[in-house]
Amino acid sequence: MRKFQVALAILMSVSLCGCSILDRLKNDPKKIESANAEKIFEYIKDEDTDALCGLFAEYVQDTHDLEAEWEAFFDAIDGTPVSYSGLSFPGEGYETDPDGNVIDSHLSVNYNGVKTDTGETYDEFGYLIYQAYAEDPSQEGLINFCVYLAESDEWVTVGDS
């Protein structure tokens, strides 16, 4: 009888919150962003500034000279990025409204161990993106892209600091 009660309790819990769990898995920001991160890294490898500029949030595009900032970014790093060892997501925010609609989804993406064609390695190399921001859709997209230059102890940033 005790096993039946436990099984019933589990079934009730799954039926009550199962949809939100499934929605969260389907809308997992990290899963969604992993594919996007690969595409962005390809743009970085190709130094495709037109494609990279187009990924930024509308308000960042309107307030920054992204072409010039990307040029400075590529001039600051030693070589051309060719690979990375993995992705990490050091920061994340996610919120839904009472109906389960995503109203805020943002995260930081870091390319771990970025190697260039000259043999240089960068550990702090990544971006902040708003995947959804219902309050102000002009903020959806890349907010910034940064690299930390250990030799000079400085950050080079494209977009908002």
Side-chain angles (χ1 to χ4, degrees):
M1 183 65 169
R2 177 85 174 131
K3 287 181 184 179
F4 175 75
Q5 289 174 331
V6 170
L8 184 60
I10 291 171
L11 284 174
M12 288 178 59
S13 296
V14 169
S15 69
L16 290 175
C17 63
C19 290
S20 66
I21 291 170
L22 292 175
D23 286 344
R24 174 69 174 158
L25 290 174
K26 180 180 80 174
N27 294 318
D28 179 19
K30 294 173 188 170
K31 181 179 177 183
I32 292 168
E33 197 56 36
S34 291
N36 194 34
E38 183 62 35
K39 177 179 70 174
I40 291 171
F41 196 78
E42 289 300 314
Y43 293 155
I44 296 282
K45 285 171 41 176
D46 295 339
E47 295 188 23
D48 187 345
T49 55
D50 288 338
L52 290 164
C53 290
L55 298 172
F56 278 82
E58 181 182 320
Y59 90 92
V60 177
Q61 291 181 34
D62 292 344
T63 58
H64 288 265
D65 183 352
L66 293 173
E67 295 259 345
E69 290 179 24
W70 276 115
E71 185 176 324
F73 178 91
F74 289 119
D75 287 346
I77 59 176
D78 183 5
T80 301
V82 292
S83 66
Y84 61 95
S85 60
L87 293 174
S88 60
F89 303 92
E92 175 184 6
Y94 185 85
E95 184 179 358
T96 58
D97 65 14
D99 295 326
N101 300 309
V102 177
I103 58 173
D104 181 4
S105 178
H106 62 277
L107 65 156
S108 300
V109 179
N110 192 57
Y111 297 95
N112 302 316
V114 172
K115 296 217 185 287
T116 69
D117 59 356
T118 62
E120 186 68 41
T121 301
Y122 296 96
D123 290 321
E124 299 291 334
F125 191 103
Y127 60 92
L128 170 64
I129 187 167
Y130 271 81
Q131 295 171 326
Y133 194 62
E135 188 174 310
D136 184 2
S138 75
Q139 293 190 32
E140 294 175 2
L142 288 180
I143 304 303
N144 64 39
F145 199 103
C146 303
V147 62
Y148 177 68
L149 306 175
E151 263 186 34
S152 61
D153 189 34
E154 68 179 318
W155 288 90
V156 176
T157 303
V158 178
D160 276 0
S161 297

